[in-house]
């Protein structure tokens, strides 16, 4: 029976409404409706029976939230439509101001019916210790023992598979008789030999396909396997974590696969793609692509990981043009990888969870970096992206929290959603003039960022793109920008100056610069083109800034207005501070609302750190 699953993304986010004599915030719980029911149930709760609770919700269909009206909470909320939701709630107690707004974000989604982590996968019958599932009225495939049953229960459900259903010498027959019928054995099912300790395995010449994870985490003592000519489909990940095999051979007349040059690997002949690799594999010079999951390990859930090939330092051969999805996924021992200059694309999650990878230099001929390509590479210190890359995929460097050095090539046009989420060691980013869009949550929680420089082609900054970048002191939004997503600079509590060059002012609301615990309109100084000051001051949202001053020359720090920030601006600022003349607002280099010696210090820091 199908179930509906949800993912609770955040339950503890809060927006401060008033810091003085506040009501304690409420809690929000999110739970599935139950077995066989579509949807989730959301409850808002508080330990004070006298409080009044209020809520609103939105289905997130684009970068903007489609909010309901605020309503008093009177009972559990039920969400049944498939989609992504956000629920906000706050509490009010007698004599106190409203609490923080608490937030829950979650998905209501229908799982893939083929997702074997949630569905039963058992055999139909067994003969002589081998189990089978029907594939037609005359064919079967080798399956798991019928004692193996889904779904599992986290966190301990996978202990059920600590010992696989087969052991010893396994010889799969070409046909099997059951209840008077003869069936041809045509395939190996998903997880059929999971965790099995085999002495040897013999496949008949009737086998046509080996499905994904068929031999995951199996050991074969003989170290060898022979792939008959009949096998025309080997799904990615079929031999995940079987990397100690040292004699892998494909029958010579196989029409789809080969093991040329005694490479101890499985190669897709027509495309010259490395399909399956092992620790003892070598790469023939005729191979032009590394296929999906070729070296990859496998992850069942947050509780069970099987590492990929035991590579440590790997040089991508000159012949390789493309690297497939999850090609090196979970190769946790990989310390370094040298990419060939002819490489054109890196697939989705190609190097995800390569925990020991230190440095990455993407060649200049590479055009695409796939979704999650280097996600969770926690020890990645440096990423240099070549000058032909046009797009950086969603989650490409997600949670690479050791990343310090980032260089973005000058052809990149788009940076995907969550591309650098929580890369909190990054301190500065220079976006080349080619970048046109920065995706939702692209640099969310990069708390170490102190400096960002946007290029002149940028048109859109996505939802929460720089939220929780608390170290940012200054941002300059070029006049090419036409949209700023909701919460784009949410909780950037260190902001002192915001420079917006757009004429007329961009259409924004308070959700763009919301800050937890501070009033950004009082803290930051807004610098705008001199001819637009009056328009900004009259604007419904921009006009809330207490200090709106003209942008002169190169902006804050360009004291003499010559278009450059240099040492003569420091001496000019000192002279103006020593004079008896009234100091114009645009001399406020640090944006704190005052013109004094602190601005000299800030200007010197700008010159030393290149933050201009």
């Amino acid at each position: 029976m199908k179930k509906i699953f949800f993912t609770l993304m955040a339950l503890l986010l809060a927006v401060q409404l008033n810091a003085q004599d506040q009501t304690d915030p409420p809690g929000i719980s999110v739970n599935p409706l139950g077995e066989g029911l579509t949807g989730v149930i959301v409850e808002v709760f508080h330990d004070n029976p006298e409080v009044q609770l209020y809520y609103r919700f939105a289905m997130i269909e684009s970068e903007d939230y489609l909010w309901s009206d605020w309503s008093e909470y009177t009972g559990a909320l039920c969400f049944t439509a498939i989609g992504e939701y956000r629920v906000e709630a706050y509490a009010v107690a007698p004599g106190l101001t409203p609490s923080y707004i608490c937030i829950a974000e979650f998905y209501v989604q229908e799982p893939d019916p083929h997702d074997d982590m949630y569905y039963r996968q058992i055999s139909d019958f067994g003969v002589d210790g081998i189990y089978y599932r029907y594939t037609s009225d005359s064919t079967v495939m080798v399956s798991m023992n019928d004692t193996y049953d889904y779904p599992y229960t986290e966190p301990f459900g996978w202990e059920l598979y600590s010992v696989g259903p087969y052991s010893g010498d396994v010889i799969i027959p070409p046909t099997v008789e059951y209840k008077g019928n003869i069936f041809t054995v045509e395939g190996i099912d998903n997880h059929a030999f999971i965790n099995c300790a085999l002495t040897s395995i013999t496949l008949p010449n009737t086998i046509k396909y080996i499905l994904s994870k068929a031999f995951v985490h199996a050991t074969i003592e003989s170290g060898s396997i022979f792939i008959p000519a009949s096998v025309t489909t080997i799904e990615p990940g079929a031999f995940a974590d079987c990397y100690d095999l040292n004699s892998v051979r494909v029958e010579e007349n196989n029409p789809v696969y080969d093991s040329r040059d005694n490479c101890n690997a499985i190669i897709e002949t027509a495309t010259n793609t490395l399909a399956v690799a092992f620790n003892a594999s070598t790469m023939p010079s005729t191979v032009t692509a590394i296929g999906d999951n070729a070296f990859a390990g496998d992850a069942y859930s947050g509780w069970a990981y099987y590492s990929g090939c035991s590579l440590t330092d790997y040089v991508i051969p000159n012949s390789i043009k493309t690297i497939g999805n999850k090609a090196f996924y979970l190769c946790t021992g990989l310390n370094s990888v040298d990419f060939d200059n002819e490489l054109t694309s890196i697939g989705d999650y190609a190097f995800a969870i390569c925990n020991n990878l230190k440095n990455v230099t993407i060649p200049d001929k590479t055009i695409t970096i796939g979704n999650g390509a280097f996600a969770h590479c926690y020890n990645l210190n440096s990423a240099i992206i070549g000058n032909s890359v046009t797009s950086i995929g969603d989650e490409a460097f997600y949670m690479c929290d050791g990343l310090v050095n980032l260089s973005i090539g000058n052809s990149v046009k788009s940076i995907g959603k969550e591309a650098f989420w929580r890369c909190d060691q990054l301190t500065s980013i220079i976006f080349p003039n080619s970048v046109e869009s920065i995706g939702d949550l692209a640099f969310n929680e990069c708390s170490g960022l102190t400096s960002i420089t946007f290029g002149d082609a940028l048109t859109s900054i996505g939802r929460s793109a720089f939220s929780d970048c608390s170290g940012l002191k200054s941002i300059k939004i070029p006049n090419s920008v036409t949209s700023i997503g909701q919460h784009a600079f949410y909780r950037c509590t260190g902001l002192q100056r915001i420079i917006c060059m757009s004429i007329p002012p961009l259409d924004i609301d308070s959700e763009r610069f919301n800050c937890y615990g501070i009033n950004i309109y009082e803290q930051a100084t807004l610098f705008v083109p001199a001819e637009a000051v009056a328009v900004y001051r009259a604007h419904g949202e921009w006009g809330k800034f207490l200090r709106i001053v003209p942008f002169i020359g190169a902006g804050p720090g360009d004291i003499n207005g010559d278009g450059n920030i240099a040492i003569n601006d420091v001496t000019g600022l000192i002279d103006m501070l020593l004079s008896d003349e009234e100091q114009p607002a645009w001399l406020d280099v640090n944006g704190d609302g005052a013109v004094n010696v602190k601005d000299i210090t800030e200007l010197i820091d700008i010159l030393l750190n290149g933050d201009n």
Side-chain angles (χ1 to χ4, degrees):
M1 182 178 292
K2 288 186 178 181
K3 298 180 181 179
I4 298 298
F5 296 88
F6 69 91
T7 302
L8 181 60
M9 293 177 60
L11 188 57
L12 301 176
L13 298 176
V15 179
Q16 188 176 37
L17 297 178
N18 192 314
Q20 184 177 3
D21 297 327
Q22 280 190 315
T23 308
D24 291 334
I28 304 176
S29 67
V30 182
N31 293 288
L33 284 175
E35 179 74 28
L37 298 177
T38 300
V40 302
I41 189 166
V42 176
E43 295 183 271
V44 183
F45 55 89
H46 201 284
D47 57 7
N48 183 353
E50 296 184 359
V51 303
Q52 289 180 299
L53 300 174
Y54 294 88
Y55 76 94
R56 66 174 181 172
F57 68 89
M59 177 177 278
I60 306 171
E61 296 182 344
S62 65
E63 71 168 27
D64 294 320
Y65 295 100
L66 307 176
W67 286 109
S68 66
D69 294 329
W70 283 103
S71 302
E72 185 174 358
Y73 177 80
T74 57
L77 312 172
C78 182
F79 298 90
T80 58
I82 305 300
E84 181 181 359
Y85 291 88
R86 181 184 179 102
V87 173
E88 296 186 350
Y90 67 90
V92 182
L96 300 176
T97 59
S99 72
Y100 302 161
I101 294 174
C102 286
I103 300 170
E105 290 187 353
F106 56 90
Y107 292 90
V108 175
Q109 63 187 51
E110 188 172 0
D112 183 342
H114 301 295
D115 188 342
D116 48 32
M117 289 178 65
Y118 296 105
Y119 291 89
R120 294 167 64 90
Q121 180 179 329
I122 58 177
S123 64
D124 293 310
F125 65 90
V127 175
D128 296 333
I130 298 178
Y131 299 87
Y132 303 92
R133 293 180 69 188
Y134 297 116
T135 55
S136 75
D137 58 1
S138 61
T139 58
V140 293
M141 59 182 172
V142 178
S143 181
M144 302 175 75
N145 186 329
D146 60 2
T147 60
Y148 287 72
D149 193 5
Y150 292 84
Y152 71 93
T153 302
E154 288 189 295
F156 305 113
W158 281 101
E159 289 182 0
L160 181 67
Y161 307 101
S162 58
V163 178
Y166 301 102
S167 61
D169 295 308
V170 175
I171 300 174
I172 298 173
T175 61
V176 61
E177 182 177 355
Y178 182 67
K179 291 185 177 181
N181 297 312
I182 304 295
F183 298 91
T184 299
V185 181
E186 66 172 4
I188 311 294
D189 201 0
N190 294 294
H191 295 98
F193 290 91
I194 180 175
N195 288 340
C196 292
L198 307 177
T199 305
S200 65
I201 179 80
T202 302
L203 306 181
N205 60 9
T206 56
I207 294 290
K208 296 179 181 178
Y209 53 84
I210 303 173
L211 298 186
S212 176
K213 304 180 185 179
F215 289 90
V216 64
H217 200 48
T219 57
I220 302 175
E221 186 177 330
S222 68
S224 66
I225 190 168
F226 178 76
I227 307 297
S230 57
V231 175
T232 56
T233 299
I234 301 175
E235 290 190 348
F239 293 92
D241 201 46
C242 296
Y243 302 110
D244 288 333
L245 287 172
N246 53 34
S247 177
V248 178
R249 188 165 63 89
V250 179
E251 192 170 5
E252 287 188 4
N253 59 341
N254 187 297
V256 177
Y257 301 103
D258 67 77
S259 51
R260 67 189 73 166
D261 301 340
N262 296 315
C263 62
N264 193 60
I266 300 173
I267 296 167
E268 189 177 88
T269 306
T271 61
N272 292 312
T273 297
L274 180 71
V276 185
F278 305 90
N279 289 336
S281 295
T282 58
M283 188 83 75
S285 61
T286 51
V287 172
T288 58
I290 298 175
D292 296 350
N293 295 76
F295 292 90
D298 184 63
Y300 290 130
S301 71
W303 303 94
Y305 288 92
Y306 296 139
S307 295
C309 282
S310 58
L311 304 171
T312 54
D313 301 287
Y314 194 71
V315 178
I316 305 294
N318 293 336
S319 60
I320 300 299
K321 303 297 188 295
T322 62
I323 296 175
N325 300 334
K326 288 190 172 181
F328 294 85
Y329 180 75
L330 266 169
C331 288
T332 55
L334 190 62
N335 295 314
S336 68
V337 58
D338 290 336
F339 296 103
D340 173 59
N341 288 330
E342 300 300 315
L343 184 70
T344 60
S345 66
I346 299 173
D348 295 346
Y349 303 96
F351 294 87
I353 322 182
C354 290
N355 294 338
N356 286 312
L357 194 60
K358 304 296 192 301
N359 302 292
V360 170
T361 299
I362 309 299
D364 278 342
K365 288 190 178 181
T366 303
I367 298 171
T368 58
I369 299 174
N371 297 335
F374 298 92
H376 298 283
C377 291
Y378 303 117
N379 290 306
L380 189 65
N381 177 266
S382 173
I384 300 173
I385 297 170
N387 288 323
S388 292
V389 173
T390 59
S391 63
I392 299 174
D394 297 346
E395 301 181 351
F397 294 85
Y398 180 89
M399 289 189 70
C400 291
D401 50 15
L403 188 61
V404 174
N405 178 38
L406 172 64
S407 175
I408 300 175
N410 58 24
S411 294
V412 172
K413 292 184 177 181
S414 63
I415 298 174
K417 296 179 180 179
E418 304 176 7
F420 295 88
W421 179 318
R422 206 176 292 176
C423 294
D424 53 14
Q425 298 301 309
L426 281 175
T427 57
S428 65
I429 302 172
I430 299 175
F431 295 94
N433 288 331
S434 58
V435 174
E436 298 173 358
S437 64
I438 298 173
D440 295 348
L441 298 152
F443 293 87
N444 182 49
E445 295 189 38
C446 291
S447 57
L449 270 180
T450 58
S451 170
I452 54 177
T453 303
F454 296 123
D456 292 334
L458 185 66
T459 60
S460 65
I461 301 172
R463 174 171 60 89
S464 300
F466 295 91
S467 61
D468 288 284
C469 293
S470 55
L472 278 178
K473 296 189 298 181
S474 174
I475 56 173
K476 181 180 179 182
I477 302 167
N479 59 9
S480 57
V481 173
T482 57
S483 67
I484 300 176
Q486 191 175 45
H487 296 298
F489 298 96
Y490 174 70
R491 292 203 294 201
C492 291
T493 54
L495 275 177
Q496 295 293 328
R497 56 180 181 264
I498 298 171
I499 303 166
C500 189
M501 301 304 293
S502 177
I503 305 175
L506 290 170
D507 185 19
I508 66 164
D509 58 34
S510 60
E511 297 298 315
R512 273 52 176 177
F513 295 101
N514 244 342
C515 277
Y516 177 70
I518 68 168
N519 186 334
I520 196 67
Y521 298 110
E522 293 180 359
Q523 174 175 293
T525 298
L526 175 62
F527 293 83
V528 301
E531 64 271 31
V533 170
V535 179
Y536 273 85
R537 287 175 178 170
H539 190 274
E541 195 62 38
W542 293 105
K544 293 179 182 178
F545 282 91
L546 297 185
R547 296 182 300 279
I548 302 177
V549 299
F551 182 91
I552 303 297
D558 184 8
I559 304 304
N560 60 16
D562 65 357
N564 296 297
I565 298 177
I567 191 64
N568 58 351
D569 292 299
V570 176
T571 57
L573 180 56
I574 294 172
D575 289 342
M576 296 186 77
L577 286 173
L578 292 175
S579 71
D580 294 329
E581 298 178 8
E582 182 179 350
Q583 310 301 331
W586 51 267
L587 294 180
D588 181 11
V589 180
N590 63 9
D592 66 358
V595 179
N596 52 37
V597 71
K598 293 180 180 179
D599 295 295
I600 298 175
T601 303
E602 180 73 10
L603 181 51
I604 292 171
D605 286 342
I606 289 173
L607 288 171
L608 292 175
N609 299 322
D611 182 21
N612 54 20

